[in-house]
């Protein structure tokens, strides 16, 4: 054997697909780059002012902290109310959207699409809508988080419900149980740990979201953030951002440790 | 046990009931604190129905001329943010895998956790004064928070791979870089690209919101129409946002399913 080394065959490549994908991504990126109007001159004009602001925003103005306590508490209250109401409302939405439990195709179809539409709008859009409907304040925030919670829990939990063992629900039905008894004794107990886990996850998301709801007037610490931001009080903005981060991280740690034990 | 008796779970208050009671009690205190009284709740449907009636008919002229360009800008922001996130997170995901780089991995995971802790909109609050009002600030904010999540998910994918090919490349005399190129990347790429697409779906929603702090996109338009009580125009914003997000979700979902098959 001189230089005739037999190499394994290279796997065939679908060049048309690769070239097509690369071209599409490149074009989309080029188009988007133009779309966001990135310009170096503008960046250069803004940077000096931006640097001054960044320098100013450290250290945070700690003496402002006592005035944050009440709004921070209100923020957590909004998150609790939104999670509890949303968590309860999510149960029927999830059950009707689970293919194996739903009483009929039409109900399933309508509910599934309702769920998908709920999920398309971001949390702050709901907050703006409710602020317009019921006025600025924490109630608007709690309602927005209610909708957001329903969207999150029902989507995740309906998938867990679809994965349960159908033997028990069928046994309940076979022994003469009604549809509701089938849910109560056969289906829901199996997926209950998942429900609790998703509810805690939704609470984490809600605490995070409730911190910014105030930017559109829906109560909580975000409203303080908005006034300080629009008057360029960045030392205070930094303090608010830091306290938000600390609370979010604490809640996440606690909730995650509970969730790990559940499943 | 005589025939006819049934086994019952033990009676009494279990811990589940206690937890439920604590939650119910907390909820009542919180609801009372934010003035969500039963009367206010009973009043809600009427209030909502009244405001919703203002939303009809949607002002679609405004929709086509003003909302669609803003939505397009939101998509651009989300795309650039995703590209930034994908480009930075790919090497970080490899470095963050415990199985490949045990020592660096911990540092990388710390960085990604920090990036994830900031909601995009708080990042945008800092980027807007630094790089100027507009979409570029939004894209940067979204890019950075995407790096956090994509690094975490990517590292998990890399940690779950079959280490056989890596050892094979190294046994055949390949360097570590070659092992990454020929043994790791081909295994993880489909799943990682699927995560990019999923993040793009999330980024569309995130970028739609950023307009609230002046970082471009459709959020600012919605805020203004609602502030000046142009409900027909707000209806156009909502309608178009829902349709566009649904279409993008469907396209991205279809590609993701094919990638993971």
């Amino acid at each position: 054997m001189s230089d005739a080394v037999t190499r394994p065959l290279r796997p065939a490549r679908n060049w048309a697909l690769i070239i097509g994908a690369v071209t599409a991504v490149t074009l989309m990126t080029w188009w988007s780059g133009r779309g966001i109007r990135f310009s170096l001159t503008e960046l250069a004009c803004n940077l000096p002012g931006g640097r001054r602001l960044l320098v100013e925003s450290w250290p945070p103005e700690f003496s402002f902290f006592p005035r944050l306590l009440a709004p921070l508490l209100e923020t957590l209250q909004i998150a609790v109310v939104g999670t509890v109401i949303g968590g309860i409302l999510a149960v029927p939405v999830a059950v009707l959207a689970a293919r194996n439990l739903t009483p009929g195709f039409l109900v399933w179809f309508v509910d599934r699409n309702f769920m998908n539409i709920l999920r398309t709008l971001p949390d702050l859009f709901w907050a703006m809508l409710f602020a317009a409907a019921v006025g600025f304040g924490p109630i608007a925030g709690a309602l927005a988080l209610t909708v957001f919670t329903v969207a999150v829990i029902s989507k995740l939990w309906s998938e867990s419900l679809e994965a349960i063992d159908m033997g028990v629900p069928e046994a309940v039905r076979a022994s003469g149980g009604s549809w509701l008894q089938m849910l109560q004794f056969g289906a829901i107990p199996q997926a209950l740990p998942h429900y609790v886990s998703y509810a805690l996850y939704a609470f984490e998301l809600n605490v995070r979201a409730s911190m910014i709801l105030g930017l559109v007037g829906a109560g909580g610490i975000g409203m303080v953030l908005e006034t300080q931001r629009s008057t360029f009080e960045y030392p205070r903005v930094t303090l608010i951002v830091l306290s938000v981060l600390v609370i979010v991280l604490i809640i996440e740690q606690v909730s995650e440790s509970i969730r790990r034990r559940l499943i | 046990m005589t025939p006819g008796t049934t086994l019952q779970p033990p009676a009494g208050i279990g811990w589940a009931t206690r937890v439920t009671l604590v939650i119910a009690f907390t909820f009542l205190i919180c609801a009372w604190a934010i003035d969500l009284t039963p009367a206010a709740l009973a009043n809600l449907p009427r209030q909502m129905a009244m405001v919703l009636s203002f939303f009809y008919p949607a002002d679609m002229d405004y929709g086509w001329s003003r909302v669609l360009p803003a939505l397009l800008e939101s998509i651009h922001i989300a795309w650039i943010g995703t590209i930034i996130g994908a480009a930075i997170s790919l090497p970080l995901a490899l470095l963050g895998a415990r199985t490949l780089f045990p020592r660096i991995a911990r540092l990388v995971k710390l960085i990604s956790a920090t990036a994830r802790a900031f909601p995009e909109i708080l990042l945008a609050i800092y980027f807007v004064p630094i790089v100027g009002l507009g979409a570029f600030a939004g894209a940067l904010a979204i890019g950075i928070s995407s790096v956090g999540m994509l690094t975490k998910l990517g590292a998990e994918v890399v940690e779950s791979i079959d280490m056989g090919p890596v050892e094979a490349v190294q046994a055949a005399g390949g360097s570590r870089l070659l092992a990454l190129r020929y043994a790791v990347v081909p295994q993880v790429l489909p799943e990682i690209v699927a995560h990019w697409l999923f993040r793009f779906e999330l980024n569309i929603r995130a970028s739609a919101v950023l307009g609230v702090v002046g970082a471009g996109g459709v959020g600012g338009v919605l805020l203004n129409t609602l502030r000046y009580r142009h409900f027909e125009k707000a209806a156009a914003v909502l309608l178009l946002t829902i349709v566009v997000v649904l279409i993008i979700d469907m396209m991205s979902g279809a590609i993701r399913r094919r990638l993971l098959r």
Side-chain angles (χ1 to χ4, degrees):
Chain A
M1 253 195 357
S2 52
D3 52 356
V5 184
T6 47
R7 292 171 178 270
L9 277 176
R10 271 177 168 273
R13 288 214 169 137
N14 189 344
W15 284 110
L17 186 72
I18 295 175
I19 292 173
V22 169
T23 317
V25 168
T26 313
L27 280 179
M28 183 72 194
T29 309
W30 176 77
W31 187 40
S32 301
R34 287 185 44 143
I36 63 169
R37 294 184 308 273
F38 172 68
S39 92
L40 273 177
T41 39
E42 203 185 322
L43 190 64
C45 293
N46 270 303
L47 272 181
R51 226 191 64 195
R52 207 183 55 228
L53 201 119
L54 260 194
V55 172
E56 266 174 27
S57 63
W58 195 265
E61 189 185 325
F62 285 109
S63 57
F64 191 61
F65 189 70
R67 280 168 62 190
L68 296 183
L69 286 174
L72 279 173
L73 189 65
E74 185 178 76
T75 299
L76 290 177
Q77 287 160 346
I78 294 172
V80 169
V81 172
T83 313
V84 171
I85 304 183
I88 295 170
L89 293 180
V91 172
V93 179
V95 166
L96 296 180
R99 210 164 308 175
N100 49 348
L101 303 173
T102 192
F105 175 77
L106 193 67
V107 180
W108 174 81
F109 183 77
V110 171
D111 189 47
R112 184 112 267 194
N113 284 307
F114 169 71
M115 222 168 70
N116 284 339
I117 289 176
L118 280 192
R119 282 194 316 124
T120 54
L121 291 183
D123 41 11
L124 269 191
F125 274 33
W126 292 111
M128 288 187 230
L129 273 179
F130 282 112
V134 303
F136 292 134
I139 294 187
L143 293 175
L145 290 187
T146 301
V147 175
F148 183 63
T149 309
V150 172
V152 172
I153 298 185
S154 62
K155 168 85 172 104
L156 293 169
W157 200 43
S158 71
E159 277 163 18
S160 320
L161 283 170
E162 280 176 353
I164 60 169
D165 168 20
M166 279 307 280
V168 193
E170 273 163 27
V172 176
R173 286 296 253 182
S175 52
S178 68
W179 183 73
L180 278 176
Q181 283 168 330
M182 178 269 282
L183 287 181
Q184 190 190 343
F185 298 108
I188 289 180
Q190 286 189 56
L192 203 57
H194 288 104
Y195 174 79
V196 178
S197 168
Y198 295 144
L200 279 170
Y201 174 62
F203 182 60
E204 280 173 44
L205 293 182
N206 281 344
V207 169
R208 193 178 276 249
S210 66
M211 301 283 171
I212 51 174
L213 288 176
L215 289 176
V216 295
I221 188 77
M223 283 171 99
V224 187
L225 181 60
E226 177 62 15
T227 45
Q228 301 306 328
R229 180 188 77 83
S230 46
T231 50
F232 291 96
E233 294 276 4
Y234 268 68
R236 291 176 175 182
V237 169
T238 307
L239 178 72
I240 297 171
V241 170
L242 283 181
S243 25
V244 165
L245 277 185
V246 169
I247 292 183
V248 167
L249 284 178
I250 291 175
I251 301 263
E252 264 182 17
Q253 290 301 318
V254 174
S255 149
E256 243 172 61
S257 73
I258 301 178
R259 282 200 285 144
R260 256 202 305 278
R261 253 173 259 177
L262 276 170
I263 294 184
Chain B
M1 203 163 63
T2 51
T5 54
T6 50
L7 276 176
Q8 289 268 332
I13 298 184
W15 67 269
T17 322
R18 268 180 235 160
V19 172
T20 314
L21 282 175
V22 170
I23 292 174
F25 188 63
T26 318
F27 166 73
L28 287 177
I29 291 180
C30 291
W32 171 75
I34 64 168
D35 287 330
L36 192 71
T37 54
L41 266 179
N43 211 6
L44 261 182
R46 204 184 47 80
Q47 254 174 323
M48 293 300 299
M50 197 181 74
V51 173
L52 276 181
S53 71
F54 298 146
F55 277 80
Y56 183 83
D59 182 354
M60 288 319 277
D61 285 341
Y62 184 76
W64 304 129
S65 65
R66 303 293 299 277
V67 179
L68 214 53
L71 259 172
L72 212 58
E73 190 175 61
S74 284
I75 298 174
H76 290 317
I77 295 173
W79 182 267
I80 295 288
T82 312
I83 293 280
I84 295 177
I88 301 181
S89 74
L90 186 61
L92 281 181
L94 294 172
L95 289 174
R98 228 178 329 103
T99 46
L100 294 176
F101 301 94
R103 255 172 292 171
I104 314 175
R106 191 166 293 173
L107 178 70
V108 172
K109 288 209 166 127
L110 191 74
I111 296 173
S112 97
T114 321
R116 263 179 300 133
F118 285 93
E120 291 89 356
I121 206 155
L122 294 188
L123 287 174
I125 284 179
Y126 281 91
F127 281 130
V128 165
I130 293 175
V131 304
L133 274 177
F136 182 56
L140 279 181
I142 295 221
I144 291 198
S145 77
S146 301
V147 169
M149 178 182 144
L150 291 177
T151 301
K152 173 176 187 271
L153 293 176
E156 279 165 12
V157 175
V158 176
E159 280 167 6
S160 70
I161 61 165
D162 174 12
M163 288 299 279
V166 179
E167 281 160 27
V169 171
Q170 284 177 338
S175 66
R176 214 177 217 185
L177 205 65
L178 283 174
L180 284 181
R181 165 67 186 83
Y182 289 100
V184 179
V185 171
Q187 282 191 70
V188 297
L189 208 54
E191 221 173 312
I192 285 187
V193 173
H195 283 314
W196 291 350
L197 280 167
F198 178 62
R199 184 65 210 190
F200 178 59
E201 291 171 39
L202 294 183
N203 282 348
I204 293 272
R205 292 166 173 80
S207 68
V209 157
L210 289 179
V212 169
V213 293
V218 77
V221 180
L222 181 63
L223 191 63
N224 279 329
T225 53
L226 286 174
R227 190 174 281 161
Y228 298 111
R229 312 249 135 199
H230 294 307
F231 291 114
E232 343 61 57
K233 291 179 177 168
V237 178
L238 294 175
L239 215 60
L240 286 173
T241 307
I242 291 175
V243 171
V244 167
V245 173
L246 275 180
I247 292 174
I248 289 178
D249 275 9
M250 270 192 285
M251 287 185 350
S252 154
I255 303 178
R256 276 196 290 142
R257 267 192 299 282
R258 289 201 54 183
L259 275 172
L260 295 179
R261 203 172 45 201

